[in-house]
Amino acid sequence: LPWPDRSEVEPLAGDVPPAVALFCRCGRTEDGPITLSCPPHDRIDIGVREMQPNDTLGALDAHEVDIALYPLADLPARFESRALFEEDFVIAARADHPIVKRPSIQVYCAARHLLVSRTADPHGFVDIELEAQGHSRRIVLTVPSFMWALAVLADGDLIGTLPRSLVNLHAARYGLKAIEPPFSLSRLQI
């Protein structure tokens, strides 16, 4: 493959080899998805693979994947990481759900919740933050993907705390509303 011009990889300051940087040029609009762009070339193929967070570092070590986009913290020194963006979360619910009219911590905690979890673990980072603030919620359903979550929320009485960019992008299509959380919630760095 020809080496890309250095100006093409300038956004990735540091000693990133240009061949790797070619694959790393990611972007994100304010309300849109992550995009990956490469100069047109008939020998460049990109495959997107879903992975469990616990498998990510092993897959990188085994050269099964070249790049991982994950909110991983405390990476071993052998890996290089760069923050692409920060994501905050909103409550997603049907437009006629009670939380839309009365968004309070009491209504939030009393509601039935959906959680996106690839492992079906019904305890996520929101639960950790709620517990630190003296609250808890009941997860009645876990689903393995955010798109599945949107479909379930559209057809039922559950609520979900989901990435703002996802909800902003798809709320109208699914008849959902985005509500600001009535409690303090950290932003995740991706």
Side-chain angles (χ1 to χ4, degrees):
L1 293 175
W3 292 96
D5 180 72
R6 195 69 181 151
S7 65
E8 293 181 48
V9 296
E10 196 58 37
L12 296 173
D15 292 324
V16 178
V20 174
L22 176 68
F23 292 95
C24 291
R25 295 187 322 148
C26 297
R28 181 177 177 272
T29 63
E30 182 64 27
D31 295 324
I34 295 172
T35 59
L36 180 65
S37 62
C38 288
H41 196 289
D42 63 356
R43 293 181 58 204
I44 296 175
D45 297 320
I46 297 173
V48 177
R49 176 178 163 186
E50 184 176 8
M51 299 182 68
Q52 299 295 331
N54 294 341
D55 298 335
T56 304
L57 300 182
L60 287 165
D61 277 334
H63 302 286
E64 295 170 5
V65 296
D66 297 313
I67 296 168
L69 302 178
Y70 260 96
L72 296 174
D74 303 321
L75 289 175
R78 68 185 181 277
F79 295 107
E80 181 175 338
S81 69
R82 299 184 189 248
L84 297 176
F85 62 92
E86 284 190 351
E87 181 71 85
D88 64 336
F89 287 69
V90 294
I91 302 163
R94 277 192 354 259
D96 62 345
H97 194 282
I99 199 157
V100 174
K101 295 180 182 111
R102 295 176 287 127
S104 69
I105 189 68
Q106 293 79 17
V107 172
Y108 179 85
C109 291
R112 296 168 8 118
H113 293 257
L114 167 149
L115 175 68
V116 176
S117 171
R118 289 176 180 89
T119 62
D121 180 0
H123 195 262
F125 89 95
V126 172
D127 301 288
I128 294 167
E129 295 206 15
L130 279 172
E131 289 166 6
Q133 297 173 41
H135 301 285
S136 65
R137 65 181 179 163
R138 179 168 176 234
I139 303 296
V140 299
L141 177 66
T142 63
V143 295
S145 78
F146 286 110
M147 294 307 290
W148 193 345
L150 293 172
V152 170
L153 294 174
D155 290 330
D157 291 326
L158 304 180
I159 66 172
T161 307
L162 303 175
R164 179 183 301 276
S165 61
L166 174 86
V167 177
N168 287 347
L169 191 63
H170 298 289
R173 178 180 310 147
Y174 287 94
L176 300 173
K177 293 288 182 187
I179 304 106
E180 293 299 321
F183 58 95
S184 171
L185 193 56
S186 298
R187 296 170 62 90
L188 291 182
Q189 195 173 69
I190 307 293

